[in-house]
Amino acid sequence: MTHPNQRSTTDMFTHNDIGFRPVEITSVGMVAERLNNPEVCETFTNERLAELQNSPSFRYYPKFFSREEQLNNESAGCESIGELEHEDQSLILWSEAVVKAVMKLHADGKIKLTETDYHRNLSLIAVEVNSLDGQDYSNRKKRRAGAKLESRALPCARTALEWRRTYIRAGYNPVALLPKQKRSGNRNRRWCIDTERYALRVIDHYCAEKISKPKAVSRTLDDIKAENERREQNGEPLLTVPSRRAIFDRLRLASPYRVCARREGIDAANRKFNLYETGVDVEDPLERVEMDGCKLDLISVFSYFRILDFLPPERRKALERGRRWLYAAIDCRTKVILALRLAENPSADVAVKTLRDVYSDKSDIAAACGCDGSWHEGGPVGELVTDQGPEFYSVEFRAAASALGTTLKYPPAGMPWMRGQIERYFKNLGHHLLPLLSGRTGFNPKDRGDYPSKEMACLTDDELIQLIVRFVVDVYHNEPHSSLGGETPKDCWERLTQQVPPPALPDGQAIRFAFGRKFVRTIKGNGVTFADIGYSCDALKEAFNHSPNRTAEICVDLRDLGWIMVKVGDSWHPARSNVPGMDGVSHDQLKEAKRALSYKYSAQAELTVPIIRKALSDISDVNRAAMRRMELTPFHTTDEEIERNEGTFRFSLRTQTEIDDPDGYGLDPLSEGILISPPVRDEHSASSKNVPIACDASINAAIPTHKPSKKWTFDND
């Protein structure tokens, strides 16, 4: 139990910059009213006041509204002796010792409170003052002969008695004894308001014209002299001409932030006058992730797949060279890099792909880049922080983040320290990896010097992303990090994820809605087709039978063609591939397999599923690794390329069921439905009509059968 302290209704305390005054004090607490709104009262228990006692936002002022305290504040100009300098504190305490010595000797009956008796007993008062002020103890220390002893001259009788009265009126607060000459001086304006206005022009000259301070002062004095010449001609009173020092003082007292903002710009002022803090307080992995893009200080060759090995020297020189953009995401708690991606230019597509990598296990990419360690770090993001670039403000990126339940935050522009983790990573990359590569440009022209960056550029995009990924996975993740107390980012991730496992990854439908590509396809007998693969579900069968709309919107995950999402009406439904063995097969793998088989089976019109599956398994490890690295380069698959490749696939996929039973209905979505009778020729009519036939075996046996010229399918209109 917290015991109540002695409090009074003349006290005051502040909490979160709100002043309170007690109006009722009880044994369990108090009721206090707000100073800015006396009609609002709050209850503060003794326990709550004890908790607030050590809070930086809480201040308690005993007897603040008492008459003695107000007189003390008026005379002293400060609230506590702790606010004063050391010399002022020493002087106040000595003055208090003088007052206490007079009061003690008077209480003992040794002196009277008169000026005559005070002067008669100066020696007695001096001994008592030295005792109360600690001078006796200081003077008793062993010193050499001739050493100086500190002492202060006693005040005259009138001053000493005035100090006593002031001390009593202030409620025995020694701050009231602060000499008033500490606040002396003429602080009034020495000249008229017009002269002051002209003197302040020194700030405009210094900021707008970007000249030196002495020149700005000279320009200001010239303005005042020109104004005096005009006034003299018009018979008006002249302005007082200030000294150069006075004008310098106006410039010196100007706001440094405003001066820098006007001379160098607001962004430069923000960078120069920003406050350094310890950063955002994050406790768990993936609680806060920062993402950004940076133009690499390196010139590379815009090509892929080691094309330089197959080109003559003259063709190599003709290849385009330049600087790529690198997009990355970092976990602020463990400092682990969650995604990396090269880009030709900033775009919403690149930002969305980088976010997709944050939610994925990238160990296969690390293996494709030759890394010894794994790159499995990733998962659902709680708070994603980016800059205000158009790629992060795009509808595609914001929709993907919203679909995954991620909170987006955009710190103010021009304040990179609000995203300090990702900015620090780019700087770390520029200091440790890029100086080791050919074609580096340095941080600035001075750092670059005479190095021929463009002539030395030899790294392709495939090689560049391979080096960056390997540096991150094998070097950066395994080096002690200063902000982690010497722990490596990888060890920190493993330790914290063991303590607090991250949330479960989004399901397949959520991933497809967030990162999938959307297209429009026609509903046919085998459902809908994408990449020459048919996809079907019960909803598509119903739509094919009854819906007048023959098109459907699909959402495809290019990394897994095993199933897609199909929009039928107002609802989305999963549709599985009619071709078995497509689970986990990416669009790039399927395209590469068909490209390779187009040379081997150029005379064959159709490819069977076993042939395609064998081709997928026969793709070499080198080629498969190169395809994984290509996903991180600017040569990734675009929507336009997908549409273009749809018409260039030379082969159609057929399952083994279609091959074994060419006249069957292997892919007929209504193969298990009601039997539909064939058309019957009416002898009395010139045209053929479809007449209903009863479902009776004898009647059906009497009807002459007519085999159609070809199999009826859902493709027929």
Side-chain angles (χ1 to χ4, degrees), residues 101 168 397:
I168 295 175
F397 184 79

Side-chain angles (χ1 to χ4, degrees), residues 304 368-369 462 465-466 622 625-633:
Y304 184 71
C369 294
D462 178 61
I465 193 61
Q466 182 178 0
V622 176
M627 294 174 63
R628 293 300 300 162
R629 293 194 300 270
M630 185 179 66
E631 176 65 21
L632 302 182
T633 67

Side-chain angles (χ1 to χ4, degrees), residues 189-191 196 199-200 202-203 245-254:
R189 188 183 296 112
R190 302 299 180 91
W191 44 67
E196 183 69 25
L200 292 177
V202 65
I203 302 176
R245 183 183 182 123
I247 297 180
F248 259 116
D249 289 340
R250 267 55 178 182
L251 183 57
R252 179 177 55 86
L253 296 176

